[in-house]
Amino acid sequence: MIELEGMTKSFRMAEGEMTILHGIDLTIQAGEMVAIMGPSGSGKSTLMNILGCLDAPSSGRYLLDGTDVTKLSKRQLAKTRGQRIGFVFQSFNLIPRTDAMRNVELPLIYNGVRSRRAKAKAALERVGLGTRLRHVPSELSGGQKQRVAIARALINDPSIILADEPTGALDTKSTVEIMELFTELNAAGCTIIVITHEDEVAEYCTRRVWLRDGCIQSDDKVHNRRTKLAAVSA
Ligand code: ADP
Ligand code: MG
């Protein structure tokens, strides 16, 4: 599903060109749940932006479902992103003073989709927030806010979810809730890639990739993957 070959990323700076990713080879199959780990500044978010078609590699190949995305126009990239990829961020990125339904509907508004309410409601129910449809972000806990953001990421039925430190702002209990939700979505067929600093989070994944100084340092299967322990309610 995802194939990176010799992918590099450089940024032009006042001091000259800075190479952040040095020839990444990475293949991720549909249905995997992968943790990307590594110290701050190792290039995790840069890699995620490229995987998510938010930014283009400087060199190398990126095949997404067999399509060379480095050859797509900006418009085609945006379309691919909208149809295939859902994003989740540490800071939730919800619109304040706007209820959960409306926050989740937003990507549909951009895509000109009708019957948005039924879809938004179904997505919120899927993440266990069926009773919080009209709550605004300030009335929700951190874990609930992240679930709204996950519902928003799910709204176009993506095949891949990219999450950049999704539990970085959450307490332990909410972290467990969110990782159990990702585990469920993964079991339902969604490929999930999670950037994290936390071993506990990586333990929910099937595979752990370590980045260091813009290179893949290790890439291993997770043994004794954590599974859902108990049903979590909203
Ligand atoms: P991580 O997510 O692992 O902490 P990042 O991918 O955010 O790392 O950043 C890796 C390095 O790339 C950092 O040194 C950062 O300053 C640099 N960097 C990231 N984005 C840009 C950019 N748009 N322009 C210049 N440098 C960047
Ligand atoms: Mg980062």
Side-chain angles (χ1 to χ4, degrees):
M1 160 171 266
I2 284 174
E3 277 183 84
L4 288 177
E5 234 183 71
M7 189 274 286
T8 72
K9 181 67 185 175
S10 310
F11 294 106
R12 230 181 297 283
M13 313 280 282
E15 317 83 84
E17 194 136 286
M18 277 258 296
T19 300
I20 303 302
L21 295 174
H22 305 267
I24 302 282
D25 296 315
L26 181 66
T27 300
I28 296 175
Q29 307 291 347
E32 287 196 75
M33 181 154 162
V34 181
I36 309 263
M37 304 188 76
S40 277
S42 56
K44 303 181 296 296
S45 296
T46 303
L47 173 61
M48 183 73 91
N49 289 343
I50 290 171
L51 292 176
C53 303
L54 289 164
D55 205 355
S58 303
S59 68
R61 282 213 312 174
Y62 177 18
L63 301 184
L64 180 57
D65 287 332
T67 303
D68 187 347
V69 298
T70 58
K71 302 228 156 52
L72 299 182
S73 65
K74 281 229 160 84
R75 222 189 128 117
Q76 290 169 317
L77 266 186
K79 192 170 166 209
T80 300
R81 203 161 58 224
Q83 290 174 342
R84 300 213 177 152
I85 302 168
F87 294 92
V88 177
F89 300 96
Q90 174 170 357
S91 53
F92 321 125
N93 293 4
L94 299 178
I95 316 267
R97 294 182 293 279
T98 303
D99 69 23
M101 281 284 285
R102 189 90 184 146
N103 265 288
V104 172
E105 278 178 48
L106 273 178
L108 296 177
I109 295 173
Y110 295 135
N111 287 354
V113 175
R114 290 163 193 246
S115 68
R116 297 191 290 263
R117 298 179 58 160
K119 283 194 175 151
K121 185 162 177 276
L124 282 162
E125 283 167 352
R126 191 166 176 200
V127 302
L129 287 181
T131 60
R132 301 288 191 280
L133 303 179
R134 293 300 174 192
H135 285 56
V136 298
S138 62
E139 297 166 344
L140 297 169
S141 69
Q144 290 171 334
K145 280 188 259 214
Q146 195 57 298
R147 285 203 254 168
V148 174
I150 294 170
R152 182 183 55 193
L154 289 172
I155 196 79
N156 285 318
D157 206 16
S159 44
I160 306 172
I161 290 186
L162 298 178
D164 196 343
E165 306 202 28
T167 62
L170 301 180
D171 61 22
T172 308
K173 180 170 167 287
S174 307
T175 295
V176 168
E177 271 177 36
I178 294 302
M179 291 317 296
E180 290 187 348
L181 175 56
F182 278 134
T183 306
E184 271 177 43
L185 297 173
N186 179 242
C190 202
T191 304
I192 299 185
I193 304 175
V194 187
I195 294 182
T196 185
H197 284 290
E198 299 163 83
D199 281 327
E200 290 81 359
V201 166
E203 286 168 8
Y204 284 91
C205 298
T206 57
R207 180 175 165 193
R208 197 178 342 221
V209 174
W210 276 89
L211 277 188
R212 190 172 188 97
D213 301 329
C215 297
I216 292 182
Q217 188 181 37
S218 66
D219 182 346
D220 301 297
K221 188 175 178 341
V222 173
H223 297 286
N224 304 317
R225 181 187 185 195
R226 268 199 214 205
T227 50
K228 201 165 186 269
L229 296 173
V232 179
S233 66

